[in-house]
Amino acid sequence: ILNVEQSPQSLHVQEGDSTNFTCSFPSSNFYALHWYRWETAKSPEALFVMTLNGDEKKKGRISATLNTKEGYSYLYIKGSQPEDSATYLCALLFGNEKLTFGTGTRLTIIP
Amino acid sequence: DAGVIQSPRHEVTEMGQEVTLRCKPISGHNSLFWYRQTMMRGLELLIYFNNNVPIDDSGMPEDRFSAKMPNASFSTLKIQPSEPRDSAVYFCASSLKRDTEAFFGQGTRLTVV
């Protein structure tokens, strides 16, 4: 079983503060890591796809880093806004091509 | 493109009945995934197709579940007979190739009473 672990499970952040959370995974047989944003009553939407050790991606106030040797990725949100409230999912593509999701970090921004 | 299209959006059925969920992936996408959303496991991968061929169905919970992809533009997930514990939201997703983002349909909310 390939475990994709995300922490924390949930997070409350004051509007305007910055925050980050973690995705951990077994480093062997790694192929790609995806981050998705999932708003309540909607479908997950992709934020980033990263494949190389040391990759850094940025989209507006959200950025992500990847360390495949130690098996982790961080997602950062700078200057949180209420619209950032969502569940953030990490998904791993391993050699066998199964896109396996973690259970997510539920982020709530407090106005 | 309209994105990944799933039908129906909602399904309520009685225990023991057959249920068929449908998915139309984005045109040109080679990979198709069926996921089930549960409180305990989050998004749980049921089965994965590549070029219409099932690659991994190890996530299919029981023999009551089956999935087909007869062509590149259509897939079905069938539950026969359905049970109350099958109640969940079922998502279909497709991607262009293995290392690109997956696009999700709106999901089918299944309730088995």
Side-chain angles (χ1 to χ4, degrees), chain A residues 31 34 36 38 42-44 46 49 89 93-99 101 103, chain B residues 33 35 37 41 43 45 48 56 58 91 98-102 104-106:
Chain A
Y31 194 84
H34 300 207
Y36 291 81
W38 193 4
K42 293 187 178 180
S43 306
V49 176
L89 296 170
L93 189 63
F94 295 100
N96 63 359
E97 304 188 27
K98 289 175 66 169
L99 188 61
F101 281 82
T103 51
Chain B
F33 307 86
Y35 289 92
Q37 179 193 1
R41 299 186 180 186
L43 274 177
L45 179 64
Y48 157 61
D56 191 322
S58 59
F91 285 99
R98 62 185 296 200
D99 58 350
T100 58
E101 64 191 285
F104 283 76
Q106 293 299 303

PDB file of all heavy atoms in Angstrom, chain A residues 31 34 36 38 42-44 46 49 89 93-99 101 103, chain B residues 33 35 37 41 43 45 48 56 58 91 98-102 104-106:
ATOM      1  N   TYR A  31       6.940   9.307  -9.452  1.00  0.00           N
ATOM      2  CA  TYR A  31       6.880   9.806 -10.821  1.00  0.00           C
ATOM      3  C   TYR A  31       6.424  11.265 -10.867  1.00  0.00           C
ATOM      4  O   TYR A  31       7.030  12.074 -11.545  1.00  0.00           O
ATOM      5  CB  TYR A  31       5.967   8.935 -11.682  1.00  0.00           C
ATOM      6  CG  TYR A  31       6.147   9.198 -13.150  1.00  0.00           C
ATOM      7  CD1 TYR A  31       7.171   8.571 -13.869  1.00  0.00           C
ATOM      8  CD2 TYR A  31       5.325  10.104 -13.822  1.00  0.00           C
ATOM      9  CE1 TYR A  31       7.352   8.841 -15.216  1.00  0.00           C
ATOM     10  CE2 TYR A  31       5.506  10.377 -15.167  1.00  0.00           C
ATOM     11  CZ  TYR A  31       6.514   9.738 -15.849  1.00  0.00           C
ATOM     12  OH  TYR A  31       6.713  10.022 -17.172  1.00  0.00           O
ATOM     13  N   HIS A  34       0.884  15.836  -7.502  1.00  0.00           N
ATOM     14  CA  HIS A  34      -0.134  16.824  -7.853  1.00  0.00           C
ATOM     15  C   HIS A  34      -0.670  17.472  -6.587  1.00  0.00           C
ATOM     16  O   HIS A  34      -0.809  16.802  -5.555  1.00  0.00           O
ATOM     17  CB  HIS A  34      -1.344  16.160  -8.533  1.00  0.00           C
ATOM     18  CG  HIS A  34      -1.068  15.432  -9.798  1.00  0.00           C
ATOM     19  ND1 HIS A  34      -2.046  15.265 -10.775  1.00  0.00           N
ATOM     20  CD2 HIS A  34       0.025  14.812 -10.278  1.00  0.00           C
ATOM     21  CE1 HIS A  34      -1.549  14.581 -11.777  1.00  0.00           C
ATOM     22  NE2 HIS A  34      -0.294  14.280 -11.507  1.00  0.00           N
ATOM     23  N   TYR A  36      -4.195  19.615  -5.478  1.00  0.00           N
ATOM     24  CA  TYR A  36      -5.529  20.005  -5.919  1.00  0.00           C
ATOM     25  C   TYR A  36      -6.199  20.823  -4.828  1.00  0.00           C
ATOM     26  O   TYR A  36      -5.963  20.618  -3.636  1.00  0.00           O
ATOM     27  CB  TYR A  36      -6.412  18.769  -6.199  1.00  0.00           C
ATOM     28  CG  TYR A  36      -5.987  17.987  -7.411  1.00  0.00           C
ATOM     29  CD1 TYR A  36      -4.940  17.085  -7.352  1.00  0.00           C
ATOM     30  CD2 TYR A  36      -6.625  18.160  -8.629  1.00  0.00           C
ATOM     31  CE1 TYR A  36      -4.534  16.376  -8.460  1.00  0.00           C
ATOM     32  CE2 TYR A  36      -6.232  17.449  -9.760  1.00  0.00           C
ATOM     33  CZ  TYR A  36      -5.180  16.560  -9.664  1.00  0.00           C
ATOM     34  OH  TYR A  36      -4.786  15.868 -10.767  1.00  0.00           O
ATOM     35  N   TRP A  38     -10.005  21.742  -3.397  1.00  0.00           N
ATOM     36  CA  TRP A  38     -11.344  21.161  -3.457  1.00  0.00           C
ATOM     37  C   TRP A  38     -12.271  21.960  -2.571  1.00  0.00           C
ATOM     38  O   TRP A  38     -12.209  21.858  -1.342  1.00  0.00           O
ATOM     39  CB  TRP A  38     -11.285  19.705  -3.005  1.00  0.00           C
ATOM     40  CG  TRP A  38     -12.504  18.899  -3.289  1.00  0.00           C
ATOM     41  CD1 TRP A  38     -13.627  19.280  -3.957  1.00  0.00           C
ATOM     42  CD2 TRP A  38     -12.718  17.549  -2.903  1.00  0.00           C
ATOM     43  NE1 TRP A  38     -14.514  18.251  -4.042  1.00  0.00           N
ATOM     44  CE2 TRP A  38     -13.990  17.177  -3.398  1.00  0.00           C
ATOM     45  CE3 TRP A  38     -11.965  16.616  -2.205  1.00  0.00           C
ATOM     46  CZ2 TRP A  38     -14.510  15.910  -3.212  1.00  0.00           C
ATOM     47  CZ3 TRP A  38     -12.487  15.357  -2.017  1.00  0.00           C
ATOM     48  CH2 TRP A  38     -13.752  15.011  -2.516  1.00  0.00           C
ATOM     49  N   LYS A  42     -18.046  21.159  -4.789  1.00  0.00           N
ATOM     50  CA  LYS A  42     -17.482  21.247  -6.136  1.00  0.00           C
ATOM     51  C   LYS A  42     -16.551  20.052  -6.365  1.00  0.00           C
ATOM     52  O   LYS A  42     -16.465  19.147  -5.537  1.00  0.00           O
ATOM     53  CB  LYS A  42     -16.718  22.559  -6.299  1.00  0.00           C
ATOM     54  CG  LYS A  42     -17.609  23.793  -6.258  1.00  0.00           C
ATOM     55  CD  LYS A  42     -16.817  25.030  -6.601  1.00  0.00           C
ATOM     56  CE  LYS A  42     -17.717  26.252  -6.621  1.00  0.00           C
ATOM     57  NZ  LYS A  42     -16.944  27.482  -6.953  1.00  0.00           N
ATOM     58  N   SER A  43     -15.863  20.071  -7.520  1.00  0.00           N
ATOM     59  CA  SER A  43     -14.912  19.011  -7.830  1.00  0.00           C
ATOM     60  C   SER A  43     -13.502  19.501  -7.570  1.00  0.00           C
ATOM     61  O   SER A  43     -13.244  20.701  -7.635  1.00  0.00           O
ATOM     62  CB  SER A  43     -15.026  18.613  -9.296  1.00  0.00           C
ATOM     63  OG  SER A  43     -16.342  18.289  -9.629  1.00  0.00           O
ATOM     64  N   PRO A  44     -12.583  18.582  -7.303  1.00  0.00           N
ATOM     65  CA  PRO A  44     -11.180  19.001  -7.144  1.00  0.00           C
ATOM     66  C   PRO A  44     -10.657  19.655  -8.422  1.00  0.00           C
ATOM     67  O   PRO A  44     -10.963  19.216  -9.529  1.00  0.00           O
ATOM     68  CB  PRO A  44     -10.449  17.680  -6.871  1.00  0.00           C
ATOM     69  CG  PRO A  44     -11.502  16.749  -6.356  1.00  0.00           C
ATOM     70  CD  PRO A  44     -12.755  17.137  -7.068  1.00  0.00           C
ATOM     71  N   ALA A  46      -6.989  21.119 -10.198  1.00  0.00           N
ATOM     72  CA  ALA A  46      -5.535  21.039 -10.081  1.00  0.00           C
ATOM     73  C   ALA A  46      -4.913  22.409  -9.846  1.00  0.00           C
ATOM     74  O   ALA A  46      -5.314  23.409 -10.442  1.00  0.00           O
ATOM     75  CB  ALA A  46      -4.944  20.407 -11.337  1.00  0.00           C
ATOM     76  N   VAL A  49       1.365  20.424 -10.858  1.00  0.00           N
ATOM     77  CA  VAL A  49       1.914  19.100 -11.071  1.00  0.00           C
ATOM     78  C   VAL A  49       3.428  19.252 -11.062  1.00  0.00           C
ATOM     79  O   VAL A  49       3.973  20.092 -11.787  1.00  0.00           O
ATOM     80  CB  VAL A  49       1.466  18.483 -12.411  1.00  0.00           C
ATOM     81  CG1 VAL A  49       2.145  17.134 -12.625  1.00  0.00           C
ATOM     82  CG2 VAL A  49      -0.042  18.333 -12.450  1.00  0.00           C
ATOM     83  N   LEU A  89      -5.685  18.870  -1.514  1.00  0.00           N
ATOM     84  CA  LEU A  89      -5.345  17.464  -1.691  1.00  0.00           C
ATOM     85  C   LEU A  89      -4.004  17.321  -2.385  1.00  0.00           C
ATOM     86  O   LEU A  89      -3.706  18.039  -3.342  1.00  0.00           O
ATOM     87  CB  LEU A  89      -6.390  16.767  -2.564  1.00  0.00           C
ATOM     88  CG  LEU A  89      -7.811  16.676  -2.038  1.00  0.00           C
ATOM     89  CD1 LEU A  89      -8.737  16.183  -3.138  1.00  0.00           C
ATOM     90  CD2 LEU A  89      -7.878  15.735  -0.852  1.00  0.00           C
ATOM     91  N   LEU A  93       1.631  10.145  -8.193  1.00  0.00           N
ATOM     92  CA  LEU A  93       1.671   9.216  -9.317  1.00  0.00           C
ATOM     93  C   LEU A  93       2.944   8.403  -9.167  1.00  0.00           C
ATOM     94  O   LEU A  93       4.046   8.937  -9.252  1.00  0.00           O
ATOM     95  CB  LEU A  93       1.670   9.988 -10.630  1.00  0.00           C
ATOM     96  CG  LEU A  93       1.488   9.180 -11.913  1.00  0.00           C
ATOM     97  CD1 LEU A  93       0.139   8.500 -11.936  1.00  0.00           C
ATOM     98  CD2 LEU A  93       1.640  10.075 -13.126  1.00  0.00           C
ATOM     99  N   PHE A  94       2.756   7.124  -8.884  1.00  0.00           N
ATOM    100  CA  PHE A  94       3.902   6.247  -8.746  1.00  0.00           C
ATOM    101  C   PHE A  94       4.128   5.488 -10.042  1.00  0.00           C
ATOM    102  O   PHE A  94       3.357   5.624 -10.989  1.00  0.00           O
ATOM    103  CB  PHE A  94       3.688   5.289  -7.577  1.00  0.00           C
ATOM    104  CG  PHE A  94       3.630   5.968  -6.240  1.00  0.00           C
ATOM    105  CD1 PHE A  94       2.415   6.221  -5.627  1.00  0.00           C
ATOM    106  CD2 PHE A  94       4.783   6.367  -5.605  1.00  0.00           C
ATOM    107  CE1 PHE A  94       2.353   6.859  -4.393  1.00  0.00           C
ATOM    108  CE2 PHE A  94       4.742   7.015  -4.371  1.00  0.00           C
ATOM    109  CZ  PHE A  94       3.522   7.261  -3.771  1.00  0.00           C
ATOM    110  N   GLY A  95       5.141   4.669 -10.059  1.00  0.00           N
ATOM    111  CA  GLY A  95       5.514   3.980 -11.291  1.00  0.00           C
ATOM    112  C   GLY A  95       4.400   3.171 -11.916  1.00  0.00           C
ATOM    113  O   GLY A  95       4.339   2.992 -13.122  1.00  0.00           O
ATOM    114  N   ASN A  96       3.485   2.680 -11.072  1.00  0.00           N
ATOM    115  CA  ASN A  96       2.402   1.860 -11.607  1.00  0.00           C
ATOM    116  C   ASN A  96       1.236   2.689 -12.135  1.00  0.00           C
ATOM    117  O   ASN A  96       0.202   2.159 -12.494  1.00  0.00           O
ATOM    118  CB  ASN A  96       1.902   0.879 -10.550  1.00  0.00           C
ATOM    119  CG  ASN A  96       1.298   1.590  -9.353  1.00  0.00           C
ATOM    120  OD1 ASN A  96       1.259   2.819  -9.302  1.00  0.00           O
ATOM    121  ND2 ASN A  96       0.818   0.829  -8.405  1.00  0.00           N
ATOM    122  N   GLU A  97       1.414   3.987 -12.138  1.00  0.00           N
ATOM    123  CA  GLU A  97       0.467   4.919 -12.746  1.00  0.00           C
ATOM    124  C   GLU A  97      -0.813   5.144 -11.973  1.00  0.00           C
ATOM    125  O   GLU A  97      -1.735   5.753 -12.482  1.00  0.00           O
ATOM    126  CB  GLU A  97       0.125   4.491 -14.175  1.00  0.00           C
ATOM    127  CG  GLU A  97       1.352   4.342 -15.065  1.00  0.00           C
ATOM    128  CD  GLU A  97       0.984   4.121 -16.505  1.00  0.00           C
ATOM    129  OE1 GLU A  97      -0.093   4.554 -16.922  1.00  0.00           O
ATOM    130  OE2 GLU A  97       1.787   3.499 -17.212  1.00  0.00           O
ATOM    131  N   LYS A  98      -0.923   4.646 -10.751  1.00  0.00           N
ATOM    132  CA  LYS A  98      -2.107   4.921  -9.947  1.00  0.00           C
ATOM    133  C   LYS A  98      -1.971   6.310  -9.334  1.00  0.00           C
ATOM    134  O   LYS A  98      -1.013   6.582  -8.623  1.00  0.00           O
ATOM    135  CB  LYS A  98      -2.236   3.904  -8.813  1.00  0.00           C
ATOM    136  CG  LYS A  98      -2.608   2.525  -9.275  1.00  0.00           C
ATOM    137  CD  LYS A  98      -2.599   1.551  -8.121  1.00  0.00           C
ATOM    138  CE  LYS A  98      -3.685   1.868  -7.112  1.00  0.00           C
ATOM    139  NZ  LYS A  98      -3.842   0.766  -6.131  1.00  0.00           N
ATOM    140  N   LEU A  99      -2.915   7.186  -9.609  1.00  0.00           N
ATOM    141  CA  LEU A  99      -2.913   8.515  -8.998  1.00  0.00           C
ATOM    142  C   LEU A  99      -3.605   8.376  -7.648  1.00  0.00           C
ATOM    143  O   LEU A  99      -4.825   8.293  -7.570  1.00  0.00           O
ATOM    144  CB  LEU A  99      -3.633   9.515  -9.897  1.00  0.00           C
ATOM    145  CG  LEU A  99      -3.536  10.979  -9.478  1.00  0.00           C
ATOM    146  CD1 LEU A  99      -2.079  11.446  -9.464  1.00  0.00           C
ATOM    147  CD2 LEU A  99      -4.356  11.856 -10.403  1.00  0.00           C
ATOM    148  N   PHE A 101      -4.494   9.624  -3.858  1.00  0.00           N
ATOM    149  CA  PHE A 101      -4.717  10.852  -3.112  1.00  0.00           C
ATOM    150  C   PHE A 101      -4.491  10.654  -1.619  1.00  0.00           C
ATOM    151  O   PHE A 101      -4.777   9.594  -1.056  1.00  0.00           O
ATOM    152  CB  PHE A 101      -6.148  11.351  -3.312  1.00  0.00           C
ATOM    153  CG  PHE A 101      -6.354  12.070  -4.621  1.00  0.00           C
ATOM    154  CD1 PHE A 101      -6.565  11.364  -5.785  1.00  0.00           C
ATOM    155  CD2 PHE A 101      -6.311  13.455  -4.670  1.00  0.00           C
ATOM    156  CE1 PHE A 101      -6.743  12.025  -6.996  1.00  0.00           C
ATOM    157  CE2 PHE A 101      -6.495  14.126  -5.870  1.00  0.00           C
ATOM    158  CZ  PHE A 101      -6.696  13.405  -7.032  1.00  0.00           C
ATOM    159  N   THR A 103      -5.627  12.283   2.219  1.00  0.00           N
ATOM    160  CA  THR A 103      -6.954  12.612   2.742  1.00  0.00           C
ATOM    161  C   THR A 103      -7.190  14.108   2.858  1.00  0.00           C
ATOM    162  O   THR A 103      -8.283  14.534   3.184  1.00  0.00           O
ATOM    163  CB  THR A 103      -7.199  11.941   4.105  1.00  0.00           C
ATOM    164  OG1 THR A 103      -6.102  12.246   4.948  1.00  0.00           O
ATOM    165  CG2 THR A 103      -7.323  10.439   3.962  1.00  0.00           C
TER     166      THR A 103
ATOM    167  N   PHE B  33     -10.015   7.765 -14.566  1.00  0.00           N
ATOM    168  CA  PHE B  33     -10.023   7.263 -13.187  1.00  0.00           C
ATOM    169  C   PHE B  33     -11.449   7.313 -12.632  1.00  0.00           C
ATOM    170  O   PHE B  33     -12.170   8.270 -12.872  1.00  0.00           O
ATOM    171  CB  PHE B  33      -9.142   8.147 -12.282  1.00  0.00           C
ATOM    172  CG  PHE B  33      -7.736   8.367 -12.764  1.00  0.00           C
ATOM    173  CD1 PHE B  33      -7.446   9.388 -13.653  1.00  0.00           C
ATOM    174  CD2 PHE B  33      -6.696   7.575 -12.306  1.00  0.00           C
ATOM    175  CE1 PHE B  33      -6.148   9.615 -14.090  1.00  0.00           C
ATOM    176  CE2 PHE B  33      -5.391   7.788 -12.734  1.00  0.00           C
ATOM    177  CZ  PHE B  33      -5.113   8.816 -13.625  1.00  0.00           C
ATOM    178  N   TYR B  35     -13.150   7.393  -8.855  1.00  0.00           N
ATOM    179  CA  TYR B  35     -12.881   7.552  -7.432  1.00  0.00           C
ATOM    180  C   TYR B  35     -14.198   7.532  -6.659  1.00  0.00           C
ATOM    181  O   TYR B  35     -15.244   7.908  -7.169  1.00  0.00           O
ATOM    182  CB  TYR B  35     -12.191   8.890  -7.135  1.00  0.00           C
ATOM    183  CG  TYR B  35     -10.758   8.984  -7.593  1.00  0.00           C
ATOM    184  CD1 TYR B  35     -10.442   9.492  -8.860  1.00  0.00           C
ATOM    185  CD2 TYR B  35      -9.711   8.592  -6.769  1.00  0.00           C
ATOM    186  CE1 TYR B  35      -9.121   9.591  -9.277  1.00  0.00           C
ATOM    187  CE2 TYR B  35      -8.382   8.693  -7.180  1.00  0.00           C
ATOM    188  CZ  TYR B  35      -8.109   9.192  -8.436  1.00  0.00           C
ATOM    189  OH  TYR B  35      -6.802   9.298  -8.855  1.00  0.00           O
ATOM    190  N   GLN B  37     -15.649   9.035  -2.963  1.00  0.00           N
ATOM    191  CA  GLN B  37     -15.370   9.906  -1.820  1.00  0.00           C
ATOM    192  C   GLN B  37     -16.059   9.354  -0.587  1.00  0.00           C
ATOM    193  O   GLN B  37     -17.278   9.224  -0.536  1.00  0.00           O
ATOM    194  CB  GLN B  37     -15.883  11.324  -2.085  1.00  0.00           C
ATOM    195  CG  GLN B  37     -15.647  12.281  -0.932  1.00  0.00           C
ATOM    196  CD  GLN B  37     -16.423  13.574  -1.083  1.00  0.00           C
ATOM    197  OE1 GLN B  37     -17.171  13.774  -2.038  1.00  0.00           O
ATOM    198  NE2 GLN B  37     -16.251  14.473  -0.141  1.00  0.00           N
ATOM    199  N   ARG B  41     -11.872   7.551   4.076  1.00  0.00           N
ATOM    200  CA  ARG B  41     -10.705   7.412   3.208  1.00  0.00           C
ATOM    201  C   ARG B  41     -10.503   8.558   2.234  1.00  0.00           C
ATOM    202  O   ARG B  41      -9.573   8.541   1.437  1.00  0.00           O
ATOM    203  CB  ARG B  41     -10.799   6.109   2.422  1.00  0.00           C
ATOM    204  CG  ARG B  41     -10.836   4.882   3.281  1.00  0.00           C
ATOM    205  CD  ARG B  41     -10.792   3.635   2.423  1.00  0.00           C
ATOM    206  NE  ARG B  41     -10.827   2.433   3.223  1.00  0.00           N
ATOM    207  CZ  ARG B  41     -10.691   1.209   2.726  1.00  0.00           C
ATOM    208  NH1 ARG B  41     -10.504   1.040   1.430  1.00  0.00           N
ATOM    209  NH2 ARG B  41     -10.745   0.159   3.501  1.00  0.00           N
ATOM    210  N   LEU B  43     -10.685  10.534  -1.044  1.00  0.00           N
ATOM    211  CA  LEU B  43     -10.841  10.100  -2.426  1.00  0.00           C
ATOM    212  C   LEU B  43     -10.137   8.750  -2.607  1.00  0.00           C
ATOM    213  O   LEU B  43      -8.923   8.671  -2.593  1.00  0.00           O
ATOM    214  CB  LEU B  43     -10.239  11.120  -3.384  1.00  0.00           C
ATOM    215  CG  LEU B  43     -11.117  12.270  -3.817  1.00  0.00           C
ATOM    216  CD1 LEU B  43     -10.335  13.222  -4.708  1.00  0.00           C
ATOM    217  CD2 LEU B  43     -12.354  11.785  -4.533  1.00  0.00           C
ATOM    218  N   LEU B  45      -9.301   5.563  -4.922  1.00  0.00           N
ATOM    219  CA  LEU B  45      -9.253   5.146  -6.319  1.00  0.00           C
ATOM    220  C   LEU B  45      -9.871   3.759  -6.472  1.00  0.00           C
ATOM    221  O   LEU B  45      -9.473   2.814  -5.797  1.00  0.00           O
ATOM    222  CB  LEU B  45      -7.808   5.117  -6.810  1.00  0.00           C
ATOM    223  CG  LEU B  45      -7.596   4.663  -8.249  1.00  0.00           C
ATOM    224  CD1 LEU B  45      -8.230   5.630  -9.233  1.00  0.00           C
ATOM    225  CD2 LEU B  45      -6.114   4.506  -8.546  1.00  0.00           C
ATOM    226  N   TYR B  48      -8.558   2.370 -12.745  1.00  0.00           N
ATOM    227  CA  TYR B  48      -7.858   3.272 -13.648  1.00  0.00           C
ATOM    228  C   TYR B  48      -7.759   2.617 -15.023  1.00  0.00           C
ATOM    229  O   TYR B  48      -7.378   1.452 -15.123  1.00  0.00           O
ATOM    230  CB  TYR B  48      -6.479   3.579 -13.068  1.00  0.00           C
ATOM    231  CG  TYR B  48      -5.442   4.034 -14.052  1.00  0.00           C
ATOM    232  CD1 TYR B  48      -5.615   5.193 -14.779  1.00  0.00           C
ATOM    233  CD2 TYR B  48      -4.272   3.306 -14.246  1.00  0.00           C
ATOM    234  CE1 TYR B  48      -4.661   5.615 -15.673  1.00  0.00           C
ATOM    235  CE2 TYR B  48      -3.313   3.717 -15.146  1.00  0.00           C
ATOM    236  CZ  TYR B  48      -3.512   4.880 -15.865  1.00  0.00           C
ATOM    237  OH  TYR B  48      -2.566   5.294 -16.762  1.00  0.00           O
ATOM    238  N   ASP B  56      -5.510  -1.004 -13.487  1.00  0.00           N
ATOM    239  CA  ASP B  56      -5.475  -1.366 -12.073  1.00  0.00           C
ATOM    240  C   ASP B  56      -6.879  -1.261 -11.507  1.00  0.00           C
ATOM    241  O   ASP B  56      -7.445  -0.180 -11.462  1.00  0.00           O
ATOM    242  CB  ASP B  56      -4.517  -0.455 -11.319  1.00  0.00           C
ATOM    243  CG  ASP B  56      -4.229  -0.940  -9.909  1.00  0.00           C
ATOM    244  OD1 ASP B  56      -5.158  -1.442  -9.243  1.00  0.00           O
ATOM    245  OD2 ASP B  56      -3.080  -0.797  -9.455  1.00  0.00           O
ATOM    246  N   SER B  58      -7.529  -2.781  -8.457  1.00  0.00           N
ATOM    247  CA  SER B  58      -7.359  -3.302  -7.101  1.00  0.00           C
ATOM    248  C   SER B  58      -8.171  -2.537  -6.065  1.00  0.00           C
ATOM    249  O   SER B  58      -8.396  -3.018  -4.973  1.00  0.00           O
ATOM    250  CB  SER B  58      -5.877  -3.301  -6.710  1.00  0.00           C
ATOM    251  OG  SER B  58      -5.348  -1.995  -6.779  1.00  0.00           O
ATOM    252  N   PHE B  91     -16.652  10.007  -8.272  1.00  0.00           N
ATOM    253  CA  PHE B  91     -16.062  10.943  -9.226  1.00  0.00           C
ATOM    254  C   PHE B  91     -15.366  10.185 -10.346  1.00  0.00           C
ATOM    255  O   PHE B  91     -14.723   9.155 -10.118  1.00  0.00           O
ATOM    256  CB  PHE B  91     -15.022  11.833  -8.536  1.00  0.00           C
ATOM    257  CG  PHE B  91     -15.594  12.913  -7.672  1.00  0.00           C
ATOM    258  CD1 PHE B  91     -15.677  12.746  -6.301  1.00  0.00           C
ATOM    259  CD2 PHE B  91     -16.028  14.102  -8.239  1.00  0.00           C
ATOM    260  CE1 PHE B  91     -16.194  13.751  -5.491  1.00  0.00           C
ATOM    261  CE2 PHE B  91     -16.559  15.111  -7.442  1.00  0.00           C
ATOM    262  CZ  PHE B  91     -16.633  14.930  -6.073  1.00  0.00           C
ATOM    263  N   ARG B  98       0.038  10.483 -18.282  1.00  0.00           N
ATOM    264  CA  ARG B  98       0.236  10.076 -16.896  1.00  0.00           C
ATOM    265  C   ARG B  98       0.776  11.189 -15.991  1.00  0.00           C
ATOM    266  O   ARG B  98       0.505  11.190 -14.804  1.00  0.00           O
ATOM    267  CB  ARG B  98       1.156   8.871 -16.835  1.00  0.00           C
ATOM    268  CG  ARG B  98       2.555   9.089 -17.373  1.00  0.00           C
ATOM    269  CD  ARG B  98       3.352   7.820 -17.386  1.00  0.00           C
ATOM    270  NE  ARG B  98       3.553   7.321 -16.035  1.00  0.00           N
ATOM    271  CZ  ARG B  98       4.502   6.464 -15.717  1.00  0.00           C
ATOM    272  NH1 ARG B  98       5.318   6.022 -16.637  1.00  0.00           N
ATOM    273  NH2 ARG B  98       4.634   6.023 -14.492  1.00  0.00           N
ATOM    274  N   ASP B  99       1.522  12.128 -16.509  1.00  0.00           N
ATOM    275  CA  ASP B  99       2.106  13.124 -15.609  1.00  0.00           C
ATOM    276  C   ASP B  99       1.455  14.495 -15.743  1.00  0.00           C
ATOM    277  O   ASP B  99       2.042  15.503 -15.380  1.00  0.00           O
ATOM    278  CB  ASP B  99       3.619  13.238 -15.847  1.00  0.00           C
ATOM    279  CG  ASP B  99       3.946  13.615 -17.290  1.00  0.00           C
ATOM    280  OD1 ASP B  99       3.029  13.600 -18.129  1.00  0.00           O
ATOM    281  OD2 ASP B  99       5.115  13.919 -17.573  1.00  0.00           O
ATOM    282  N   THR B 100       0.237  14.524 -16.262  1.00  0.00           N
ATOM    283  CA  THR B 100      -0.488  15.793 -16.341  1.00  0.00           C
ATOM    284  C   THR B 100      -1.674  15.775 -15.388  1.00  0.00           C
ATOM    285  O   THR B 100      -2.106  14.722 -14.925  1.00  0.00           O
ATOM    286  CB  THR B 100      -0.960  16.073 -17.767  1.00  0.00           C
ATOM    287  OG1 THR B 100      -1.798  14.985 -18.210  1.00  0.00           O
ATOM    288  CG2 THR B 100       0.212  16.194 -18.730  1.00  0.00           C
ATOM    289  N   GLU B 101      -2.197  16.954 -15.127  1.00  0.00           N
ATOM    290  CA  GLU B 101      -3.258  17.080 -14.141  1.00  0.00           C
ATOM    291  C   GLU B 101      -4.501  16.303 -14.544  1.00  0.00           C
ATOM    292  O   GLU B 101      -4.791  16.120 -15.722  1.00  0.00           O
ATOM    293  CB  GLU B 101      -3.624  18.555 -13.972  1.00  0.00           C
ATOM    294  CG  GLU B 101      -4.212  19.162 -15.233  1.00  0.00           C
ATOM    295  CD  GLU B 101      -4.320  20.669 -15.125  1.00  0.00           C
ATOM    296  OE1 GLU B 101      -5.224  21.142 -14.427  1.00  0.00           O
ATOM    297  OE2 GLU B 101      -3.505  21.354 -15.774  1.00  0.00           O
ATOM    298  N   ALA B 102      -5.229  15.855 -13.536  1.00  0.00           N
ATOM    299  CA  ALA B 102      -6.493  15.170 -13.765  1.00  0.00           C
ATOM    300  C   ALA B 102      -7.627  16.181 -13.672  1.00  0.00           C
ATOM    301  O   ALA B 102      -7.625  17.068 -12.809  1.00  0.00           O
ATOM    302  CB  ALA B 102      -6.684  14.069 -12.730  1.00  0.00           C
ATOM    303  N   PHE B 104     -11.657  16.596 -13.103  1.00  0.00           N
ATOM    304  CA  PHE B 104     -12.724  15.838 -12.460  1.00  0.00           C
ATOM    305  C   PHE B 104     -14.088  16.243 -13.006  1.00  0.00           C
ATOM    306  O   PHE B 104     -14.325  17.416 -13.317  1.00  0.00           O
ATOM    307  CB  PHE B 104     -12.713  16.072 -10.953  1.00  0.00           C
ATOM    308  CG  PHE B 104     -11.642  15.310 -10.230  1.00  0.00           C
ATOM    309  CD1 PHE B 104     -10.318  15.725 -10.279  1.00  0.00           C
ATOM    310  CD2 PHE B 104     -11.962  14.169  -9.514  1.00  0.00           C
ATOM    311  CE1 PHE B 104      -9.332  15.016  -9.614  1.00  0.00           C
ATOM    312  CE2 PHE B 104     -10.988  13.453  -8.848  1.00  0.00           C
ATOM    313  CZ  PHE B 104      -9.668  13.878  -8.899  1.00  0.00           C
ATOM    314  N   GLY B 105     -14.985  15.266 -13.070  1.00  0.00           N
ATOM    315  CA  GLY B 105     -16.380  15.556 -13.311  1.00  0.00           C
ATOM    316  C   GLY B 105     -17.015  16.087 -12.037  1.00  0.00           C
ATOM    317  O   GLY B 105     -16.367  16.199 -10.993  1.00  0.00           O
ATOM    318  N   GLN B 106     -18.304  16.419 -12.124  1.00  0.00           N
ATOM    319  CA  GLN B 106     -19.020  17.000 -10.997  1.00  0.00           C
ATOM    320  C   GLN B 106     -19.414  15.953  -9.953  1.00  0.00           C
ATOM    321  O   GLN B 106     -19.859  16.296  -8.870  1.00  0.00           O
ATOM    322  CB  GLN B 106     -20.272  17.732 -11.485  1.00  0.00           C
ATOM    323  CG  GLN B 106     -19.940  18.963 -12.310  1.00  0.00           C
ATOM    324  CD  GLN B 106     -19.155  19.983 -11.506  1.00  0.00           C
ATOM    325  OE1 GLN B 106     -19.603  20.427 -10.459  1.00  0.00           O
ATOM    326  NE2 GLN B 106     -17.970  20.342 -11.974  1.00  0.00           N
TER     327      GLN B 106
END
